[in-house]
Amino acid sequence: MPGMVLFGRRWAIASDDLVFPGFFELFLRVLWWIGILTLYVMHREKLDCAGGVLLNSYLIVLIVLLAVVICTVLAIVCVSMKGTICNPGPRKSMSKLLYLRLALFLPEMVWASLGAAWVADGVQCDRIVVNGIIATVIVSWIIIAATVFTIIIVFDPLGGKMAPYTSAGPGHLDSHESSQLLNGLKTAATSVWETRIKLLCCCVGKDDHTRIAFSSTAELFSTYFSDTDLVPSDIAAGLALLHQQQDNISSSQEPEEVISHSPGHPQEADLDAELENCHHYMHFAAAAYGWPLYIYRNPFTGLCRIGGDCCRSRTMEYELVGGDQLNCHFVSILHTTGLQYRDFIHISFHDKVYELPFLVALDHRKESVVVAVRGTMSLQDILTDLSAESESLHLDTDLQDCVAHKGISQAARYVYRRLVNDGILSQAFSIAPEYRLVVVGHSLGAGAAALLAIMLRSSYPQVQAYTFSPPRGLLSKSLHEYSKDFIVSLVLGKDVIPRLSVTNMEDLKKRILRVITHCNKPKYKILLQGCWYELFGGSPDNFPTELDGSDQGQLTQPLLGEHSLLTHWSPAYSFSSDSPLDSPTKYPPLYPPGRIIHLEEEGASGRFDCCSAAQYRARWAREGEFSRILIGPKMLTDHMPDILMRALDSVVADRTACLSCPGQGTSNVDVA
């Protein structure tokens, strides 16, 4: 539901968010009250000492005060459990209870201070009693400090601007005043987000690229969140409901057709050949991460293998490889790729906003010059990821609408300049002129590799790119179709990054609004059942997420309850338009690169399983299959390069072992 309004301002917490923290405080308070009562009953005769009257009074008042606090917290918990996310009516008394609860902190603080002062006077009483009272004073101050910290966390810097107008709606404002309010709120939101990002990335440099990235990221966040009145727990509940709804829908669908050859490209190499290429070049994409990924993949032996080189100065062999900030990355790269030092032309771990590390090597097995671009590993890389505006690319092609993700495009241009202007590619092809050019990368590096291949294609027509877990919001539709001739992308399971774009995030927001609006359960039940479902599974039919009856047929229509969760004067959300934002030229729909191989988990997927390895199947997939973010516990882990490498190893091994099976290779289409 919308955030609560207290003291004339909105807070980033709803009236139904107090069930779990209330139960936790209730548990601590009851234990504390029982402990103090036991201490008083069992040792009150020992308070007949110097200063004992004060301590006796302290315990009696504290017992009474705690009883009042416990009753108040219990009332808050009971009220918070009432109603649903979009039906706060049964919780209308919550604000009065919170005012009472906050008012009780004043006597608590005063009494905790007096207790501390009396104990500090050196009271000559039984040590058990004194130590017990000292413990109560310490607990009092811990709870007070925790409350202050919680208030800071749920403080909304924009609450003072939003609270007076969210309930009024646009009908109370003329168009000019509404426009002024919108512009003022948007400017304030952008400023708040920029301040947050600067504090989070305080160790990042202050050059022009960084300042631009700060502004770009702040504008993206402020634009995305400015038109909703959701608190974080609403989003968590919506994601839990969407996962159950998504599994319910998928379990009722017919088995889909698995295409063994790339759609529209029957003359291209088949799936097995491209999988083998992906399996080979994934090692280069992983090597670009350097020693951190190598040690992560080899926790017991990795440090022993490369540790000695980290403390050793560079040898002449290392100097043959151009680059900067090499440190102990080189040995891990050699181990990951299986190449020799003389096979590397250039290795750079220079890392800034819009400037990514990369390596260039001669791959004699595939007779190729490989350029591998590193994925996200630093705050600078995250800022590059989040610079999500679109910008035009100037290419030597006849394509119209050549638009790409701004941050990744800038990173690809940097690598392009280094490769061409510094003569790195010329040096590589002077050694092996008959080799072909292959560009690879994972995650952010995959997006940069795809754009780099597009930029290099006019000079190197035979260029090929293999991108692993690339971001969806990368290329315009025309560039996406153009890239199918020379780019192959590999996606694992429910990986969120190949489904992540501004358009898809807006779609996810609308789906969250819709599902929580139609939910007839209180939020605490949704979260409890959602946690159980994520950890232990179950039938999604047992977790109804929408109202029954005639309302089911109206799910595709604009929702009155959904409107109540929106900042009404904001034009960023429209039921009559598919455009995600009010600035379609800045955030147009973007698409992933090339043809897509999807590694799908077979059997019961979505649960964490430590006892057995997951089984995957590979198939060609269409871009439209990644036009919606899928919710699941593996949506993040499926993006990890080590998980992807293990899945790719398993799929390639299984397909190689089955080449001699009867019926293999006789049909271009298998039905799963």
Side-chain angles (χ1 to χ4, degrees), residues 437-658:
L437 178 61
V438 177
V439 188
V440 302
H442 172 265
S443 187
L444 170 62
L451 285 169
L452 181 61
I454 293 173
M455 295 174 183
L456 289 168
R457 196 163 191 243
S458 59
S459 302
Y460 300 90
Q462 302 302 316
V463 65
Q464 292 286 319
Y466 291 91
T467 61
F468 304 94
S469 305
R472 174 178 175 82
L474 183 65
L475 305 174
S476 60
K477 188 67 174 179
S478 60
L479 281 177
H480 164 69
E481 295 295 335
Y482 172 70
S483 67
K484 289 182 178 180
D485 292 331
F486 56 97
I487 298 178
V488 172
S489 294
L490 186 74
V491 177
L492 175 64
K494 294 181 179 179
D495 186 354
V496 67
I497 300 302
R499 297 174 170 86
L500 191 62
S501 67
V502 176
T503 308
N504 284 9
M505 286 295 292
E506 188 70 17
D507 170 74
L508 179 64
K509 179 170 68 177
K510 292 182 181 181
R511 289 158 58 201
I512 289 175
L513 290 172
R514 179 164 279 107
V515 75
I516 65 176
T517 300
H518 282 80
C519 181
N520 56 2
K521 292 185 177 181
K523 189 190 296 180
Y524 77 95
K525 286 187 178 180
I526 298 173
L527 295 175
L528 284 175
Q529 291 178 343
C531 290
W532 180 272
Y533 186 74
E534 297 297 336
L535 293 174
F536 305 108
S539 172
D541 293 331
N542 297 330
F543 303 96
T545 60
E546 293 168 354
L547 294 175
D548 299 326
S550 59
D551 289 333
Q552 287 280 9
Q554 301 176 358
L555 290 181
T556 58
Q557 302 301 319
L559 307 173
L560 179 61
E562 191 172 353
H563 277 292
S564 70
L565 295 173
L566 299 172
T567 303
H568 288 284
W569 66 79
S570 173
Y573 185 91
S574 173
F575 290 103
S576 60
S577 171
D578 292 331
S579 176
L581 298 165
D582 60 334
S583 181
T585 56
K586 195 167 190 176
Y587 301 104
L590 297 177
Y591 303 87
R595 296 171 290 147
I596 303 173
I597 298 175
H598 190 200
L599 303 184
E600 288 184 315
E601 187 173 352
E602 294 182 316
S605 62
R607 305 276 88 77
F608 291 108
D609 191 353
C610 302
C611 301
S612 61
Q615 297 296 315
Y616 296 91
R617 60 169 183 171
R619 66 181 183 89
W620 289 107
R622 297 178 178 86
E623 169 275 323
E625 298 175 37
F626 303 91
S627 60
R628 175 165 285 193
I629 294 174
L630 300 181
I631 309 301
K634 292 186 177 181
M635 61 189 292
L636 298 178
T637 57
D638 279 347
H639 186 69
M640 297 298 292
D642 61 310
I643 304 293
L644 178 57
M645 291 181 77
R646 284 204 297 267
L648 195 52
D649 290 342
S650 173
V651 169
V652 171
D654 290 344
R655 294 180 72 90
T656 302
C658 289

Side-chain angles (χ1 to χ4, degrees), residues 280-281 284 361-371 429 432 434-438:
H280 176 76
Y281 288 115
F284 289 89
L362 300 179
D363 177 20
H364 302 296
R365 177 183 163 189
K366 292 286 187 178
E367 295 188 343
S368 57
V369 174
V370 180
V371 179
F429 283 105
E434 71 282 5
Y435 283 13
R436 63 169 181 160
L437 178 61
V438 177

Side-chain angles (χ1 to χ4, degrees), residues 368-383:
S368 57
V369 174
V370 180
V371 179
V373 186
R374 196 191 74 181
T376 302
M377 269 199 70
S378 65
L379 289 176
Q380 292 93 329
D381 299 337
I382 293 174
L383 289 173

Side-chain angles (χ1 to χ4, degrees), residues 199-512:
L199 289 175
L200 184 64
C201 305
C202 57
C203 58
V204 178
K206 304 297 182 182
D207 55 42
D208 291 339
H209 282 171
T210 304
R211 284 190 288 269
I212 293 172
F214 283 156
S215 300
S216 176
T217 304
E219 187 164 355
L220 173 66
F221 284 168
S222 63
T223 303
Y224 183 76
F225 290 107
S226 64
D227 63 342
T228 60
D229 195 10
L230 296 176
V231 297
S233 61
D234 293 335
I235 299 175
L239 292 175
L241 292 173
L242 282 179
H243 186 203
Q244 297 161 29
Q245 185 185 70
Q246 162 193 302
D247 287 354
N248 194 13
I249 293 173
S250 62
S251 64
S252 62
Q253 288 179 339
E254 294 294 329
E256 64 181 6
E257 197 177 64
V258 181
I259 304 173
S260 296
H261 285 267
S262 174
H265 290 76
Q267 75 281 7
E268 294 289 336
D270 62 11
L271 182 59
D272 288 317
E274 292 294 10
L275 271 175
E276 198 281 326
N277 286 332
C278 289
H279 183 251
H280 176 76
Y281 288 115
M282 180 62 202
H283 291 85
F284 289 89
Y289 282 98
W291 65 264
L293 180 59
Y294 182 78
I295 293 179
Y296 179 76
R297 291 180 59 217
N298 304 276
F300 300 109
T301 61
L303 190 59
C304 296
R305 292 178 181 175
I306 70 172
D309 189 74
C310 296
C311 304
R312 190 184 306 131
S313 61
R314 292 185 181 179
T315 64
M316 289 301 296
E317 293 178 351
Y318 283 48
E319 292 296 341
L320 296 177
V321 179
D324 51 355
Q325 300 182 18
L326 199 57
N327 297 330
C328 53
H329 291 293
F330 194 29
V331 174
S332 69
I333 293 173
L334 294 177
H335 282 293
T336 304
T337 60
L339 301 182
Q340 303 296 319
Y341 75 90
R342 59 179 176 272
D343 297 324
F344 288 88
I345 305 299
H346 189 89
I347 300 175
S348 171
F349 278 87
H350 169 80
D351 188 14
K352 293 178 64 177
V353 176
Y354 302 153
E355 297 177 5
L356 298 178
F358 67 97
L359 62 87
V360 181
L362 300 179
D363 177 20
H364 302 296
R365 177 183 163 189
K366 292 286 187 178
E367 295 188 343
S368 57
V369 174
V370 180
V371 179
V373 186
R374 196 191 74 181
T376 302
M377 269 199 70
S378 65
L379 289 176
Q380 292 93 329
D381 299 337
I382 293 174
L383 289 173
T384 301
D385 282 314
L386 293 176
S387 296
E389 306 102 310
S390 298
E391 69 174 13
S392 298
L393 297 181
H394 302 289
L395 304 172
D396 295 332
T397 66
D398 296 330
L399 295 176
Q400 301 295 321
D401 188 31
C402 293
V403 174
H405 182 289
K406 175 185 175 181
I408 302 178
S409 173
Q410 293 283 343
R413 274 202 196 92
Y414 162 77
V415 180
Y416 177 87
R417 289 194 298 268
R418 294 287 305 273
L419 293 176
V420 176
N421 296 347
D422 294 355
I424 297 173
L425 284 184
S426 299
Q427 179 185 353
F429 283 105
S430 67
I431 299 172
E434 71 282 5
Y435 283 13
R436 63 169 181 160
L437 178 61
V438 177
V439 188
V440 302
H442 172 265
S443 187
L444 170 62
L451 285 169
L452 181 61
I454 293 173
M455 295 174 183
L456 289 168
R457 196 163 191 243
S458 59
S459 302
Y460 300 90
Q462 302 302 316
V463 65
Q464 292 286 319
Y466 291 91
T467 61
F468 304 94
S469 305
R472 174 178 175 82
L474 183 65
L475 305 174
S476 60
K477 188 67 174 179
S478 60
L479 281 177
H480 164 69
E481 295 295 335
Y482 172 70
S483 67
K484 289 182 178 180
D485 292 331
F486 56 97
I487 298 178
V488 172
S489 294
L490 186 74
V491 177
L492 175 64
K494 294 181 179 179
D495 186 354
V496 67
I497 300 302
R499 297 174 170 86
L500 191 62
S501 67
V502 176
T503 308
N504 284 9
M505 286 295 292
E506 188 70 17
D507 170 74
L508 179 64
K509 179 170 68 177
K510 292 182 181 181
R511 289 158 58 201
I512 289 175

